[in-house]
Amino acid sequence: MSDSDSQNKKSKLPSTLHVMRGVEGGHDGMPGGKPHSSETSQKRRNNNSLSIEQYTEGILNGDRTILGRAITLVESNSRPHQEKAQELLKAIIPHSGNSIRVGITGVPGAGKSTFIEALGCSLTAKGHKVAVLAVDPSSSLTQGSILGDKTRMEQLSRDTHAFIRPSPSGGTLGGVARKTRETILLFEAAGFDVVLVETIGVGQNEITVRSMVDFFLLILIAGAGDELQGIKRGVMELADAILVNKADRDNIDAANLARSEYERAVHYLQPATKGWQTRAFSASAIEGSGVSDIWTVVQKFKDITVQNGEFKNRRKEQTRQWLHSMLEERVKELFYSDERIKSALPDIEKAVMEGTIPAAQAAWQLLNKFSQ
Ligand code: GDP
Protein backbone atom coordinates (compact mmCIF):
# COMPACT_ATOMS: atom_id res chain seq x y z
CA MET A 1 0.00 0.00 0.00
CA SER A 2 1.42 3.38 -0.89
CA ASP A 3 1.47 6.21 1.58
CA SER A 4 -1.21 8.04 -0.29
CA ASP A 5 -3.44 4.96 -0.29
CA SER A 6 -2.94 4.60 3.37
CA GLN A 7 -3.70 8.25 3.92
CA ASN A 8 -6.86 7.88 1.87
CA LYS A 9 -7.90 4.95 3.94
CA LYS A 10 -7.22 6.79 7.14
CA SER A 11 -9.22 9.83 6.14
CA LYS A 12 -12.25 7.63 5.61
CA LEU A 13 -12.08 6.22 9.07
CA PRO A 14 -14.32 7.94 11.58
CA SER A 15 -12.69 9.78 14.42
CA THR A 16 -14.39 7.45 16.91
CA LEU A 17 -12.06 4.58 15.98
CA HIS A 18 -10.87 3.15 19.26
CA VAL A 19 -9.64 -0.21 18.16
CA MET A 20 -6.02 0.82 18.16
CA ARG A 21 -5.98 2.89 21.31
CA GLY A 22 -4.35 1.93 24.51
CA VAL A 23 -1.10 0.85 22.95
CA GLU A 24 1.70 3.10 21.91
CA GLY A 25 3.80 3.01 18.81
CA GLY A 26 3.83 -0.08 16.68
CA HIS A 27 0.43 -1.27 17.76
CA ASP A 28 -1.01 0.44 14.72
CA GLY A 29 0.34 -2.53 12.84
CA MET A 30 -1.20 -1.60 9.54
CA PRO A 31 1.49 -2.29 6.97
CA GLY A 32 2.41 0.75 4.93
CA GLY A 33 0.70 3.23 7.21
CA LYS A 34 2.01 6.78 6.95
CA PRO A 35 3.95 7.91 9.98
CA HIS A 36 2.25 10.75 11.80
CA SER A 37 5.32 12.36 13.29
CA SER A 38 9.03 12.07 13.58
CA GLU A 39 8.43 10.32 16.90
CA THR A 40 6.47 7.62 15.11
CA SER A 41 9.18 7.32 12.47
CA GLN A 42 11.72 6.91 15.20
CA LYS A 43 9.60 4.14 16.71
CA ARG A 44 9.40 2.48 13.32
CA ARG A 45 13.15 2.49 13.06
CA ASN A 46 13.43 1.08 16.56
CA ASN A 47 10.90 -1.53 15.56
CA ASN A 48 13.22 -2.79 12.87
CA SER A 49 16.15 -2.85 15.20
CA LEU A 50 14.63 -4.87 18.05
CA SER A 51 16.48 -8.11 18.52
CA ILE A 52 14.75 -11.49 18.89
CA GLU A 53 15.73 -11.42 22.56
CA GLN A 54 14.17 -7.98 23.04
CA TYR A 55 10.99 -9.08 21.33
CA THR A 56 10.83 -12.28 23.35
CA GLU A 57 11.48 -10.62 26.66
CA GLY A 58 8.97 -7.87 25.94
CA ILE A 59 6.27 -10.33 24.95
CA LEU A 60 6.85 -12.60 27.91
CA ASN A 61 6.65 -9.54 30.18
CA GLY A 62 3.33 -8.62 28.60
CA ASP A 63 4.69 -5.38 27.11
CA ARG A 64 1.85 -4.21 24.87
CA THR A 65 4.02 -1.99 22.70
CA ILE A 66 6.44 -4.77 21.91
CA LEU A 67 3.59 -7.20 21.41
CA GLY A 68 2.05 -4.79 18.91
CA ARG A 69 5.36 -4.53 17.08
CA ALA A 70 5.75 -8.29 17.03
CA ILE A 71 2.31 -8.65 15.45
CA THR A 72 3.30 -6.08 12.85
CA LEU A 73 6.39 -8.16 12.13
CA VAL A 74 4.31 -11.33 11.76
CA GLU A 75 1.91 -9.50 9.45
CA SER A 76 4.65 -8.17 7.21
CA ASN A 77 4.90 -9.69 3.77
CA SER A 78 8.58 -8.87 3.35
CA ARG A 79 10.90 -11.86 3.29
CA PRO A 80 13.43 -10.56 5.90
CA HIS A 81 10.55 -9.70 8.25
CA GLN A 82 9.03 -13.12 7.78
CA GLU A 83 12.34 -14.79 8.54
CA LYS A 84 12.72 -12.75 11.69
CA ALA A 85 9.11 -13.46 12.63
CA GLN A 86 9.74 -17.20 12.30
CA GLU A 87 12.74 -16.97 14.58
CA LEU A 88 10.68 -15.07 17.11
CA LEU A 89 7.87 -17.64 16.92
CA LYS A 90 10.35 -20.40 17.55
CA ALA A 91 11.46 -18.60 20.71
CA ILE A 92 7.97 -17.98 22.06
CA ILE A 93 6.26 -21.26 21.08
CA PRO A 94 7.24 -22.98 24.35
CA HIS A 95 5.31 -20.23 26.16
CA SER A 96 2.22 -20.41 23.95
CA GLY A 97 -0.84 -22.61 23.98
CA ASN A 98 -2.23 -21.57 27.35
CA SER A 99 -5.49 -20.05 26.26
CA ILE A 100 -8.90 -21.13 25.20
CA ARG A 101 -9.31 -20.20 21.54
CA VAL A 102 -12.87 -19.40 20.60
CA GLY A 103 -14.06 -18.75 17.04
CA ILE A 104 -17.17 -16.66 16.52
CA THR A 105 -19.01 -16.47 13.23
CA GLY A 106 -22.28 -15.12 11.88
CA VAL A 107 -23.52 -12.85 9.13
CA PRO A 108 -22.87 -9.10 9.41
CA GLY A 109 -25.49 -7.65 11.73
CA ALA A 110 -26.01 -10.82 13.78
CA GLY A 111 -24.40 -9.08 16.74
CA LYS A 112 -20.91 -10.59 16.83
CA SER A 113 -19.09 -7.49 17.97
CA THR A 114 -21.79 -6.55 20.47
CA PHE A 115 -21.50 -10.07 21.87
CA ILE A 116 -17.69 -9.98 21.93
CA GLU A 117 -17.78 -6.64 23.71
CA ALA A 118 -20.22 -7.95 26.35
CA LEU A 119 -18.37 -11.23 26.82
CA GLY A 120 -14.91 -9.64 26.71
CA CYS A 121 -15.77 -7.02 29.33
CA SER A 122 -17.29 -9.61 31.65
CA LEU A 123 -14.18 -11.77 31.31
CA THR A 124 -11.68 -9.00 31.98
CA ALA A 125 -13.76 -8.02 35.02
CA LYS A 126 -13.17 -11.55 36.28
CA GLY A 127 -9.42 -11.18 35.80
CA HIS A 128 -9.02 -12.78 32.37
CA LYS A 129 -6.84 -11.29 29.66
CA VAL A 130 -8.76 -11.22 26.43
CA ALA A 131 -7.40 -10.92 22.89
CA VAL A 132 -9.74 -10.34 19.96
CA LEU A 133 -8.73 -10.99 16.37
CA ALA A 134 -10.49 -11.07 13.05
CA VAL A 135 -10.22 -13.23 9.98
CA ASP A 136 -11.60 -11.26 7.09
CA PRO A 137 -9.71 -11.50 3.82
CA SER A 138 -12.16 -9.03 2.29
CA SER A 139 -11.13 -6.30 4.70
CA SER A 140 -8.76 -4.63 2.28
CA LEU A 141 -11.66 -4.22 -0.15
CA THR A 142 -14.28 -3.25 2.37
CA GLN A 143 -11.86 -1.13 4.38
CA GLY A 144 -12.16 -3.25 7.44
CA SER A 145 -15.66 -4.57 7.57
CA ILE A 146 -14.94 -6.26 10.85
CA LEU A 147 -13.21 -4.98 13.91
CA GLY A 148 -11.73 -1.95 12.17
CA ASP A 149 -15.23 -0.66 12.18
CA LYS A 150 -16.05 2.63 13.90
CA THR A 151 -17.50 2.53 17.35
CA ARG A 152 -17.63 -1.24 17.70
CA MET A 153 -16.33 -2.62 20.97
CA GLU A 154 -15.70 0.83 22.33
CA GLN A 155 -15.57 -0.24 25.93
CA LEU A 156 -13.46 -3.32 25.35
CA SER A 157 -10.98 -1.43 23.21
CA ARG A 158 -10.28 0.89 26.16
CA ASP A 159 -9.83 -2.02 28.55
CA THR A 160 -6.19 -2.52 29.47
CA HIS A 161 -6.78 -6.26 29.91
CA ALA A 162 -7.98 -6.60 26.36
CA PHE A 163 -6.18 -6.32 23.06
CA ILE A 164 -8.16 -5.94 19.86
CA ARG A 165 -6.52 -6.53 16.53
CA PRO A 166 -8.32 -6.00 13.23
CA SER A 167 -7.89 -8.41 10.36
CA PRO A 168 -4.50 -8.03 8.68
CA SER A 169 -5.08 -5.93 5.60
CA GLY A 170 -4.79 -7.41 2.15
CA GLY A 171 -3.87 -10.84 1.01
CA THR A 172 -5.55 -14.14 0.48
CA LEU A 173 -7.47 -16.10 3.05
CA GLY A 174 -4.40 -18.34 3.37
CA GLY A 175 -2.18 -15.34 4.13
CA VAL A 176 -4.63 -13.86 6.62
CA ALA A 177 -4.97 -17.27 8.27
CA ARG A 178 -1.20 -17.64 8.72
CA LYS A 179 -0.93 -14.19 10.26
CA THR A 180 -3.87 -14.87 12.57
CA ARG A 181 -2.48 -18.20 13.73
CA GLU A 182 0.91 -16.72 14.46
CA THR A 183 -0.66 -13.76 16.25
CA ILE A 184 -2.59 -16.18 18.47
CA LEU A 185 0.74 -17.66 19.58
CA LEU A 186 2.14 -14.21 20.36
CA PHE A 187 -0.93 -13.36 22.42
CA GLU A 188 -0.67 -16.55 24.40
CA ALA A 189 3.00 -15.97 25.13
CA ALA A 190 2.06 -12.48 26.34
CA GLY A 191 -0.33 -14.03 28.86
CA PHE A 192 -3.71 -13.69 27.16
CA ASP A 193 -5.77 -16.62 28.37
CA VAL A 194 -8.82 -16.02 26.17
CA VAL A 195 -8.48 -15.55 22.42
CA LEU A 196 -11.61 -14.67 20.47
CA VAL A 197 -11.40 -14.97 16.69
CA GLU A 198 -14.21 -13.29 14.81
CA THR A 199 -15.11 -14.00 11.23
CA ILE A 200 -17.95 -13.12 8.94
CA GLY A 201 -20.02 -16.03 7.78
CA VAL A 202 -19.11 -16.25 4.15
CA GLY A 203 -17.90 -19.35 2.35
CA GLN A 204 -14.49 -20.61 3.31
CA ASN A 205 -13.92 -18.28 6.27
CA GLU A 206 -15.71 -20.46 8.80
CA ILE A 207 -13.75 -23.56 7.87
CA THR A 208 -10.50 -21.62 8.17
CA VAL A 209 -11.39 -20.25 11.60
CA ARG A 210 -12.66 -23.65 12.75
CA SER A 211 -9.21 -24.98 11.91
CA MET A 212 -7.51 -22.62 14.36
CA VAL A 213 -9.80 -22.62 17.40
CA ASP A 214 -10.86 -25.00 20.16
CA PHE A 215 -14.48 -23.92 20.38
CA PHE A 216 -16.61 -22.56 17.57
CA LEU A 217 -19.70 -20.43 18.16
CA LEU A 218 -22.26 -19.67 15.48
CA ILE A 219 -24.35 -16.55 16.13
CA LEU A 220 -27.74 -16.39 14.43
CA ILE A 221 -30.80 -14.22 14.64
CA ALA A 222 -34.44 -15.23 14.54
CA GLY A 223 -36.58 -14.64 11.52
CA ALA A 224 -33.85 -13.75 9.05
CA GLY A 225 -34.29 -17.02 7.18
CA ASP A 226 -31.64 -19.68 7.02
CA GLU A 227 -30.81 -18.91 3.42
CA LEU A 228 -30.26 -15.25 4.21
CA GLN A 229 -27.94 -16.13 7.04
CA GLY A 230 -26.00 -18.45 4.79
CA ILE A 231 -26.81 -21.28 7.12
CA LYS A 232 -25.89 -24.43 5.38
CA ARG A 233 -25.93 -27.72 7.13
CA GLY A 234 -22.16 -27.73 6.78
CA VAL A 235 -21.71 -24.59 8.86
CA MET A 236 -23.93 -25.90 11.63
CA GLU A 237 -21.81 -29.02 11.65
CA LEU A 238 -18.76 -26.91 12.49
CA ALA A 239 -20.37 -25.32 15.54
CA ASP A 240 -19.90 -26.36 19.17
CA ALA A 241 -22.73 -24.03 20.17
CA ILE A 242 -25.36 -22.02 18.37
CA LEU A 243 -26.47 -18.73 19.83
CA VAL A 244 -29.66 -17.03 18.77
CA ASN A 245 -28.92 -13.41 19.57
CA LYS A 246 -31.24 -10.44 20.05
CA ALA A 247 -33.53 -12.34 22.42
CA ASP A 248 -34.89 -9.12 23.88
CA ARG A 249 -37.78 -6.66 23.72
CA ASP A 250 -40.50 -7.90 21.38
CA ASN A 251 -38.16 -10.42 19.80
CA ILE A 252 -37.91 -12.76 22.79
CA ASP A 253 -40.54 -15.26 21.65
CA ALA A 254 -39.21 -15.43 18.10
CA ALA A 255 -35.67 -15.94 19.39
CA ASN A 256 -36.71 -18.70 21.76
CA LEU A 257 -38.67 -20.42 19.04
CA ALA A 258 -35.69 -20.25 16.71
CA ARG A 259 -33.49 -21.58 19.49
CA SER A 260 -35.64 -24.67 19.93
CA GLU A 261 -35.72 -25.27 16.18
CA TYR A 262 -31.94 -25.12 15.94
CA GLU A 263 -31.68 -27.28 19.02
CA ARG A 264 -33.76 -29.93 17.28
CA ALA A 265 -31.81 -29.56 14.02
CA VAL A 266 -28.38 -30.05 15.60
CA HIS A 267 -29.47 -33.35 17.14
CA TYR A 268 -29.57 -34.82 13.64
CA LEU A 269 -26.12 -33.56 12.73
CA GLN A 270 -22.70 -35.02 13.18
CA PRO A 271 -21.24 -33.33 16.30
CA ALA A 272 -18.41 -30.91 15.58
CA THR A 273 -16.40 -32.30 18.47
CA LYS A 274 -16.19 -35.91 19.57
CA GLY A 275 -17.86 -36.47 22.93
CA TRP A 276 -19.65 -33.12 22.89
CA GLN A 277 -23.28 -32.44 22.03
CA THR A 278 -23.76 -29.11 20.23
CA ARG A 279 -26.68 -27.18 21.65
CA ALA A 280 -28.55 -23.98 20.85
CA PHE A 281 -28.93 -21.05 23.25
CA SER A 282 -30.46 -17.62 23.19
CA ALA A 283 -29.06 -14.34 24.49
CA SER A 284 -29.24 -10.62 24.22
CA ALA A 285 -25.78 -9.26 23.64
CA ILE A 286 -27.05 -5.73 24.03
CA GLU A 287 -28.70 -6.35 27.39
CA GLY A 288 -26.12 -8.88 28.47
CA SER A 289 -28.59 -11.64 29.30
CA GLY A 290 -27.41 -15.15 28.45
CA VAL A 291 -23.87 -14.01 27.66
CA SER A 292 -22.25 -15.50 30.75
CA ASP A 293 -24.18 -18.75 30.14
CA ILE A 294 -22.24 -19.14 26.92
CA TRP A 295 -19.02 -18.79 28.83
CA THR A 296 -20.17 -21.52 31.20
CA VAL A 297 -20.72 -23.71 28.13
CA VAL A 298 -17.21 -22.93 26.85
CA GLN A 299 -15.71 -23.88 30.19
CA LYS A 300 -17.71 -27.08 30.36
CA PHE A 301 -16.56 -27.88 26.83
CA LYS A 302 -12.96 -27.35 27.85
CA ASP A 303 -13.29 -29.57 30.92
CA ILE A 304 -14.88 -32.40 28.97
CA THR A 305 -12.54 -32.28 25.98
CA VAL A 306 -9.41 -31.93 28.09
CA GLN A 307 -10.52 -34.99 30.00
CA ASN A 308 -11.36 -37.10 26.97
CA GLY A 309 -8.22 -36.02 25.11
CA GLU A 310 -10.03 -34.25 22.26
CA PHE A 311 -8.69 -30.85 23.20
CA LYS A 312 -5.08 -31.92 22.73
CA ASN A 313 -5.85 -34.11 19.72
CA ARG A 314 -7.56 -31.30 17.90
CA ARG A 315 -4.70 -28.88 18.51
CA LYS A 316 -2.16 -31.43 17.30
CA GLU A 317 -4.22 -32.15 14.21
CA GLN A 318 -4.64 -28.43 13.56
CA THR A 319 -0.87 -27.95 13.70
CA ARG A 320 -0.37 -30.81 11.28
CA GLN A 321 -2.88 -29.30 8.88
CA TRP A 322 -1.23 -25.93 9.28
CA LEU A 323 2.10 -27.43 8.22
CA HIS A 324 0.45 -28.82 5.12
CA SER A 325 -1.25 -25.59 4.18
CA MET A 326 2.07 -23.75 4.61
CA LEU A 327 3.73 -26.33 2.37
CA GLU A 328 1.05 -26.00 -0.27
CA GLU A 329 1.33 -22.24 -0.25
CA ARG A 330 5.12 -22.30 -0.48
CA VAL A 331 5.25 -24.91 -3.21
CA LYS A 332 2.75 -22.93 -5.26
CA GLU A 333 4.72 -19.76 -4.74
CA LEU A 334 7.97 -21.44 -5.79
CA PHE A 335 6.32 -22.99 -8.83
CA TYR A 336 4.77 -19.80 -10.17
CA SER A 337 7.81 -17.66 -9.50
CA ASP A 338 10.16 -20.09 -11.30
CA GLU A 339 11.59 -18.47 -14.45
CA ARG A 340 11.18 -21.64 -16.54
CA ILE A 341 7.51 -21.83 -15.60
CA LYS A 342 6.96 -18.14 -16.17
CA SER A 343 8.36 -18.33 -19.68
CA ALA A 344 6.62 -21.57 -20.68
CA LEU A 345 3.21 -20.88 -19.15
CA PRO A 346 1.71 -18.44 -21.68
CA ASP A 347 2.23 -20.79 -24.67
CA ILE A 348 1.04 -23.83 -22.76
CA GLU A 349 -2.03 -21.97 -21.53
CA LYS A 350 -2.79 -20.92 -25.09
CA ALA A 351 -2.41 -24.48 -26.34
CA VAL A 352 -4.77 -25.73 -23.65
CA MET A 353 -7.34 -23.07 -24.47
CA GLU A 354 -7.16 -23.93 -28.16
CA GLY A 355 -7.57 -27.58 -27.36
CA THR A 356 -4.24 -28.71 -28.79
CA ILE A 357 -3.04 -30.21 -25.49
CA PRO A 358 -5.27 -31.68 -22.78
CA ALA A 359 -5.03 -29.73 -19.49
CA ALA A 360 -3.70 -32.67 -17.49
CA GLN A 361 -0.92 -33.29 -19.99
CA ALA A 362 -0.03 -29.59 -19.98
CA ALA A 363 0.20 -29.68 -16.20
CA TRP A 364 2.61 -32.62 -16.38
CA GLN A 365 4.75 -30.82 -18.95
CA LEU A 366 5.08 -27.81 -16.65
CA LEU A 367 5.75 -29.94 -13.59
CA ASN A 368 8.48 -31.80 -15.47
CA LYS A 369 10.14 -28.52 -16.36
CA PHE A 370 9.93 -27.48 -12.71
CA SER A 371 11.43 -30.65 -11.31
CA GLN A 372 14.30 -30.89 -13.82
P1 GDP B 1 -21.99 -7.88 13.72
O1 GDP B 1 -21.96 -7.29 12.34
O2 GDP B 1 -22.39 -9.32 13.69
O3 GDP B 1 -20.72 -7.66 14.48
O4 GDP B 1 -23.17 -7.13 14.52
P2 GDP B 1 -23.11 -5.91 15.52
O5 GDP B 1 -22.64 -6.34 16.85
O6 GDP B 1 -22.41 -4.76 14.87
O7 GDP B 1 -24.68 -5.58 15.67
C1 GDP B 1 -25.47 -5.21 14.55
C2 GDP B 1 -26.65 -4.42 15.07
O8 GDP B 1 -27.46 -5.24 15.90
C3 GDP B 1 -26.25 -3.22 15.91
O9 GDP B 1 -27.11 -2.15 15.63
C4 GDP B 1 -26.42 -3.70 17.32
O10 GDP B 1 -26.73 -2.65 18.21
C5 GDP B 1 -27.60 -4.66 17.18
N1 GDP B 1 -27.57 -5.71 18.20
C6 GDP B 1 -26.51 -6.48 18.52
N2 GDP B 1 -26.83 -7.32 19.51
C7 GDP B 1 -28.13 -7.07 19.81
C8 GDP B 1 -29.05 -7.63 20.76
O11 GDP B 1 -28.73 -8.51 21.56
N3 GDP B 1 -30.32 -7.13 20.76
C9 GDP B 1 -30.71 -6.15 19.91
N4 GDP B 1 -31.96 -5.73 19.99
N5 GDP B 1 -29.87 -5.60 19.01
C10 GDP B 1 -28.59 -6.05 18.96
Side-chain angles (χ1 to χ4, degrees):
M1 199 197 310
S2 71
D3 280 351
S4 62
D5 285 340
S6 134
Q7 195 64 355
N8 253 339
K9 218 168 180 176
K10 280 204 169 90
S11 63
K12 285 183 192 158
L13 293 173
S15 57
T16 42
L17 180 75
H18 285 297
V19 170
M20 301 300 190
R21 299 226 174 119
V23 174
E24 289 167 36
H27 178 209
D28 69 294
M30 303 306 273
K34 191 172 184 163
H36 304 290
S37 64
S38 57
E39 196 193 344
T40 317
S41 321
Q42 183 59 39
K43 277 175 180 158
R44 288 251 151 91
R45 277 196 291 279
N46 290 346
N47 184 15
N48 292 336
S49 63
L50 280 183
S51 68
I52 297 294
E53 291 71 29
Q54 285 170 315
Y55 271 122
T56 309
E57 199 187 316
I59 291 167
L60 296 183
N61 286 333
D63 181 321
R64 294 170 67 97
T65 307
I66 293 185
L67 173 63
R69 292 177 181 183
I71 299 173
T72 305
L73 186 71
V74 152
E75 289 180 351
S76 168
N77 289 324
S78 99
R79 183 48 59 87
H81 287 168
Q82 285 194 11
E83 279 166 12
K84 193 164 184 183
Q86 292 308 313
E87 248 188 277
L88 171 61
L89 288 166
K90 203 171 151 199
I92 59 95
I93 271 180
H95 307 278
S96 68
N98 300 319
S99 80
I100 175 93
R101 305 166 182 170
V102 178
I104 296 167
T105 192
V107 287
K112 293 179 296 298
S113 41
T114 311
F115 175 80
I116 292 172
E117 162 117 319
L119 177 65
C121 289
S122 80
L123 291 173
T124 57
K126 283 187 207 152
H128 289 283
K129 283 183 76 185
V130 179
V132 184
L133 292 159
V135 170
D136 176 16
S138 67
S139 69
S140 55
L141 299 175
T142 55
Q143 306 219 329
S145 60
I146 56 177
L147 290 184
D149 197 359
K150 310 158 291 233
T151 52
R152 305 171 94 204
M153 304 187 208
E154 231 177 302
Q155 208 185 330
L156 192 61
S157 62
R158 285 195 301 262
D159 192 324
T160 52
H161 291 105
F163 201 117
I164 300 178
R165 190 75 177 185
S167 186
S169 62
T172 58
L173 179 55
V176 171
R178 174 188 65 75
K179 294 167 188 179
T180 310
R181 282 191 163 112
E182 294 176 349
T183 302
I184 291 176
L185 301 176
L186 295 176
F187 275 128
E188 290 174 342
F192 287 84
D193 62 334
V194 177
V195 178
L196 307 176
V197 186
E198 179 188 358
T199 193
I200 37 174
V202 285
Q204 189 66 21
N205 289 7
E206 289 105 333
I207 296 171
T208 303
V209 171
R210 171 76 268 186
S211 74
M212 58 176 84
V213 297
D214 307 310
F215 185 94
F216 197 58
L217 176 68
L218 171 61
I219 299 189
L220 301 173
I221 38 180
D226 286 358
E227 281 307 311
L228 264 180
Q229 297 190 72
I231 305 310
K232 308 258 155 43
R233 201 187 140 97
V235 177
M236 295 226 287
E237 273 179 354
L238 299 176
D240 293 307
I242 290 173
L243 179 66
V244 181
N245 189 31
K246 308 197 185 183
D248 48 45
R249 302 168 207 169
D250 50 9
N251 197 39
I252 292 186
D253 291 344
N256 285 331
L257 182 67
R259 187 204 69 79
S260 50
E261 281 169 7
Y262 287 123
E263 176 84 13
R264 227 173 301 128
V266 289
H267 273 280
Y268 295 104
L269 299 178
Q270 183 87 358
T273 304
K274 217 154 90 189
W276 174 257
Q277 176 60 55
T278 299
R279 296 196 52 198
F281 303 86
S282 59
S284 166
I286 230 162
E287 292 179 355
S289 59
V291 173
S292 59
D293 297 341
I294 291 293
W295 194 248
T296 308
V297 172
V298 173
Q299 282 174 312
K300 195 169 159 202
F301 172 91
K302 189 173 178 191
D303 289 346
I304 290 176
T305 54
V306 164
Q307 210 162 32
N308 71 13
E310 263 314 291
F311 194 87
K312 238 186 184 160
N313 285 346
R314 170 175 271 149
R315 283 204 177 175
K316 277 192 182 158
E317 182 55 25
Q318 286 177 339
T319 318
R320 195 181 68 85
Q321 282 174 10
W322 183 9
L323 163 70
H324 283 278
S325 61
M326 289 293 91
L327 271 173
E328 280 162 32
E329 209 172 281
R330 190 81 190 101
V331 167
K332 209 164 143 182
E333 207 179 287
L334 285 173
F335 179 81
Y336 284 107
S337 60
D338 187 284
E339 288 306 323
R340 293 162 302 179
I341 301 303
K342 280 206 287 208
S343 64
L345 195 56
D347 286 344
I348 294 192
E349 267 180 355
K350 198 164 163 239
V352 170
M353 286 191 287
E354 283 167 358
T356 36
I357 327 179
Q361 195 194 340
W364 278 118
Q365 274 184 25
L366 287 165
L367 284 167
N368 283 338
K369 276 187 198 301
F370 185 64
S371 60
Q372 266 164 19

